[in-house]
Amino acid sequence: MDDKQELRLRRKAIRFYWKGVRLKVILVKVQRSRAWFSKWQKRFAQQGAAGLRSHSRRPHHTPRACSPRIERLIVRTRRRLVKQKVGLSGPRAIQRELHKLRLGKQMPSLSTILRVLHRRGLIRTPAKVPPAYFPKPLTVVSGTLHALDWTCRYLEDGPKVYAFHSLNLRTRACSQTIAADKSSETVIAHILASWKTLGIPRFLQLDNDAAFCGGYKALRVFGRFVRLCLYVGIELIFLPVAEPECNGEVEELNGLWAHAFWERQRFASFAQVCRASPSFVQWYMMDYAPPLLAGLTPTQAQRTETKRRLTAPQVAGLPDPLPITAGRIHFIRKVKPEGTISLLNETWKVSKRFVGKYVWATVITHCRRLDIWYQRSAQHDWRLLRTYTYEIPETVARLKPEFAHNSTT
C-alpha cells in the first residue's frame, strides 16, 4: 500500500472516531489493529491533521556520515589522481591514497567515497540504454527453421567429446552426433544424418564457427558446409558474432544434455559415450515435454510437421567438389562504432546512425548482390538500407528442382 492510500485510511479512521463510531466498527472498516489506531489518534491529538502524515525514516544521527573535512580530502584526491598520466582514479584508488594520511576511524568506506563523488558531480552513473531490437529468425522467416550448435566435455583422461545438436525450433525435435572433433567433415556428417531424420529445413540458424562459415582467412569464402546447404535449397542464417544467447533454444538443449545425461554418468572412453548417447535422444524425443509444446513430446509435435527427408540416392549424388548454388545466405549483425558490419571476412559500410543496432544482411548468390535491411521493431516494416554488388568469382549453379522448397515448407 502506498503512502497516499495509507493517509486516506488514517483520515477515515479519525473521522469515524469524531462521529462517535465505536472502535470495533472503525477497525473493521479500515482493516487495521487497535495499536495502529491508538498511534494515529495520539498523533492527531498532539499535532492535528499534519500528524497523520508519515515521518521520514531517515535516522536523526548517522555515525558513518562523512565530515566536510573528509569530503574535501576525497574531492582533492580524486582531482589529483585524474591528472596523473598513469594510474586509476576510482573509489579504491582514492581509498588507498587516503590510507596514507592515517585517518583512523575517519577513514571513509568505498560506498561513502562513491556517494561523495556522485554528489559532487565527479562521476556519473551511465544511463541505462535499452537493448537494441533483435529480429529473431523464428519470428521473421516463414517455413521450417532448424538451429545447429555443438557443445563439448572432457573425459577423465583428457580427450574432448563433442555433441552436435540440430533442433527444429517449432517442434523441438532434435538429432545428435557424438564426435571427437568439430571439423567440417564432422559437421557435414552430422547435418546429413539430421536431414534424414528431421527433414531438410527451409532455414538453418547457427553461429559463426569456422566449421560452419568456412574459416576466417579468405574473403568471401564459401566453405563446404555453406555450399552443401545452398545445394539442397537451405537458406543459412548466421547469428551475431560472439552472442551465443541469440541461439538460446539450442543452447538450452546443450545444457539439458549436460545436466540430464553427461553429469549423471562417468564415462571412461569415447566409445562408451557413443554407446550411451542414443538413450538421451530417445528420452528427449519420447518422454521429455519442452515448455514450448504445452505437454507434447517432440515426437508428438513432429508428427504434425511436413518433412522432406534427404534420401540415400540424393546423398550419393552430391557432387565433389560442391558448387555455389543459387540461393540466399543471411547474416544478423550489430553495427560497429565505425558504422560497419563484417560478413565472410569482409567489412561493409552501413551508417553510423545505426551503431549498436541489429541489421539483416542477405547475400543473393545468383544475383551477385548484398542487401542490408533494418527493422526498428516488430511493429515496423523492414527498410532497405544498402545494396552492394557482390561479385562471386565462379559460376553459380541452378538449384535442382528436387530441392526447391514450396512457400509453405
Side-chain angles (χ1 to χ4, degrees), residues 96-271:
R96 284 195 297 272
E97 291 296 309
L98 294 180
H99 270 296
K100 299 175 183 177
L101 301 178
R102 301 179 183 275
L103 297 176
K105 293 183 179 181
Q106 289 186 299
M107 173 59 63
S109 64
L110 291 174
S111 59
T112 298
I113 296 174
L114 186 62
R115 188 168 59 252
V116 169
L117 295 178
H118 274 294
R119 187 167 61 245
R120 299 294 291 268
L122 298 175
I123 60 173
R124 295 180 181 177
T125 303
K128 289 186 177 180
V129 179
Y133 167 69
F134 177 74
K136 290 187 177 181
L138 191 60
T139 63
V140 173
V141 303
S142 60
T144 308
L145 172 63
H146 288 186
L148 171 63
D149 196 23
W150 58 266
T151 185
C152 70
R153 292 294 185 274
Y154 286 90
L155 293 170
E156 291 183 358
D157 55 351
K160 279 185 178 181
V161 174
Y162 292 87
F164 288 83
H165 291 121
S166 289
L167 182 70
N168 184 317
L169 293 187
R170 289 189 173 88
T171 69
R172 288 302 196 261
C174 83
S175 67
Q176 183 191 77
T177 297
I178 301 297
D181 59 57
K182 62 180 186 72
S183 63
S184 59
E185 290 79 9
T186 298
V187 175
I188 289 173
H190 163 75
I191 207 65
L192 290 174
S194 171
W195 295 338
K196 292 177 183 178
T197 57
L198 299 182
I200 303 174
R202 178 71 181 273
F203 300 90
L204 176 62
Q205 74 174 39
L206 64 174
D207 62 23
N208 300 269
D209 191 280
F212 302 149
C213 67
Y216 305 116
K217 295 181 180 179
L219 297 180
R220 304 193 188 186
V221 59
F222 289 82
R224 287 177 57 203
F225 180 80
V226 172
R227 291 169 182 257
L228 174 62
C229 291
L230 286 172
Y231 189 83
V232 299
I234 293 175
E235 298 185 25
L236 291 171
I237 304 173
F238 285 98
L239 297 169
V241 176
E243 296 186 33
E245 64 275 10
C246 294
N247 209 11
E249 298 90 349
V250 72
E251 290 284 353
E252 289 179 4
L253 177 57
N254 291 340
L256 182 65
W257 173 80
H259 179 68
F261 174 74
W262 183 266
E263 295 171 4
R264 289 177 171 267
Q265 306 179 53
R266 298 187 66 182
F267 299 102
S269 66
F270 175 77

Side-chain angles (χ1 to χ4, degrees), residues 269-289:
S269 66
F270 175 77
Q272 186 181 359
V273 181
C274 293
R275 288 193 298 269
S277 67
S279 63
F280 169 79
V281 177
Q282 182 178 3
W283 168 81
Y284 176 85
M285 292 291 292
M286 304 293 291
D287 299 323
Y288 180 63

